[in-house]
Amino acid sequence: MTTDTVAKGSISPTSLAPKPRGGLVQSFHDSIVIAKRNLIRMTRIPEIVVFGMIQPVMFVLLFAYVFGGSINVDGSTDPKMFREFLMAGIFAQTVTFATAGSSAGIAEDMTKGLIDRFRSLPMARGAVLTGRTIADLVQTALTMVVLIVVALLVGWRVHEGIPKALGAIALMLLLGYSFTWIGALIGLSVRTPEAATSAGLIWLFPLTFVSNAFVPTAGMPTWLQHIADWNPFSATVQAGRVLFGNPGVSESNAWPMQHPVWASLLWSLLIIAVFRTLAVRKYRSATA
């Protein structure tokens, strides 16, 4: 076979590229390899991890000491009660804000041509995105550890035992992982990392603030309260408060507020199923 043969069109250049191997085991292996690559990159650029930890810590301190004592929680304005009420919302906000990092990271890989290099390798097509989201999940988990320590220092406590608390943290990390797939789709849909960062954050603010994260929804207008009660973010926050044994558990009759653990789990799995499918499809068409 010669280059002339390829040039004349008898053989397509794309037919010479190595074919990806199939199977769940191979896909899992490829995803872990990509995740390892992204984690190594994070260690070489430690400011990514450091600044990712500073922001949620600032939220804890600002909300706990600026708003503490001014918001009524279960009929009390006790600052300590507000701090316990607050932490489930801060935890959930922290894991969801990792979405912006996913968007920017994937957009950067696209602009640098790294995705095209991955396409030249015999690897599962969805592994590039799966590996990226797994790496982001690990980084988010590290941030959560730091945040829990800070929360304990400002007065937050767990009242339902360690197993339930770990269950609450797991639900929040699952929500964060599901949102990174939204971030992946955004990163594949924009042209620059700067645009990805903006697009990855702009929709998160109404999602997190039109919820039960920072104030009880009972004080909202009726129509807005219904939106907040069915917000997947609210379901995870409610599940956290129930499992942590913290004050401020909503008394709304909405199904997600009455069954928050199941609602949080179902919302997260639904988001993963929908946005992973869309992101992988977008990845294939964007790099074809």
Side-chain angles (χ1 to χ4, degrees):
M1 183 185 301
T2 66
T3 55
D4 291 338
T5 305
V6 175
K8 290 178 181 178
S10 58
I11 298 178
S12 171
T14 56
S15 66
L16 299 178
K19 301 299 182 183
R21 291 168 286 180
L24 290 177
V25 174
Q26 184 61 42
S27 179
F28 176 78
H29 175 268
D30 293 343
S31 299
I32 295 300
V33 170
I34 297 297
K36 183 178 178 181
R37 172 256 173 190
N38 283 285
L39 290 172
I40 292 174
R41 179 176 179 271
M42 289 176 188
T43 61
R44 292 175 179 173
I45 313 176
E47 47 270 37
I48 294 178
V49 179
V50 173
F51 287 124
M53 293 179 178
I54 290 176
Q55 179 179 316
V57 170
M58 289 178 59
F59 270 111
V60 172
L61 298 178
L62 289 173
F63 274 89
Y65 292 104
V66 174
F67 295 103
S70 62
I71 295 178
N72 189 309
V73 178
D74 292 347
S76 172
T77 56
D78 181 1
K80 182 179 179 181
M81 182 172 289
F82 175 71
R83 290 167 196 165
E84 291 205 351
F85 165 84
L86 172 70
M87 287 317 305
I90 294 291
F91 290 152
Q93 183 191 54
T94 298
V95 299
T96 54
F97 270 43
T99 302
S102 299
S103 301
I106 290 175
E108 183 180 13
D109 287 346
M110 290 285 290
T111 57
K112 289 183 176 180
L114 185 62
I115 299 297
D116 291 332
R117 298 176 194 173
F118 286 140
R119 275 177 52 81
S120 68
L121 301 175
M123 61 188 301
R125 290 291 181 249
V128 174
L129 301 180
T130 302
R132 174 76 204 197
T133 57
I134 291 174
D136 290 335
L137 177 62
V138 173
Q139 181 181 352
T140 302
L142 293 175
T143 303
M144 283 287 286
V145 171
V146 174
L147 196 56
I148 288 171
V149 173
V150 174
L152 292 171
L153 292 176
V154 301
W156 173 71
R157 295 294 183 268
V158 171
H159 303 286
E160 292 293 329
I162 299 300
K164 287 187 177 181
L166 292 176
I169 297 298
L171 284 175
M172 292 178 182
L173 290 175
L174 181 63
L175 179 72
Y177 179 71
S178 70
F179 274 41
T180 58
W181 281 106
I182 302 178
L185 180 61
I186 292 172
L188 292 168
S189 303
V190 298
R191 297 183 179 181
T192 65
E194 293 80 7
T197 301
S198 298
L201 284 174
I202 193 170
W203 60 276
L204 281 173
F205 282 102
L207 184 79
T208 55
F209 282 94
V210 183
S211 71
N212 58 359
F214 307 114
V215 296
T217 59
M220 297 180 180
T222 302
W223 64 271
L224 194 60
Q225 184 177 346
H226 290 318
I227 295 175
D229 288 343
W230 283 89
N231 184 341
F233 186 82
S234 292
T236 301
V237 173
Q238 174 86 337
R241 289 186 180 132
V242 169
L243 295 174
F244 291 142
N246 291 159
V249 174
S250 174
E251 296 180 358
S252 169
N253 292 324
W255 186 85
M257 296 297 98
Q258 292 296 315
H259 307 86
V261 174
W262 282 108
S264 175
L265 182 63
L266 292 174
W267 269 122
S268 295
L269 294 178
L270 178 63
I271 292 170
I272 291 172
V274 171
F275 284 92
R276 186 184 188 281
T277 300
L278 294 176
V280 172
R281 185 177 300 172
K282 181 69 175 178
Y283 166 78
R284 287 172 175 168
S285 62
T287 59

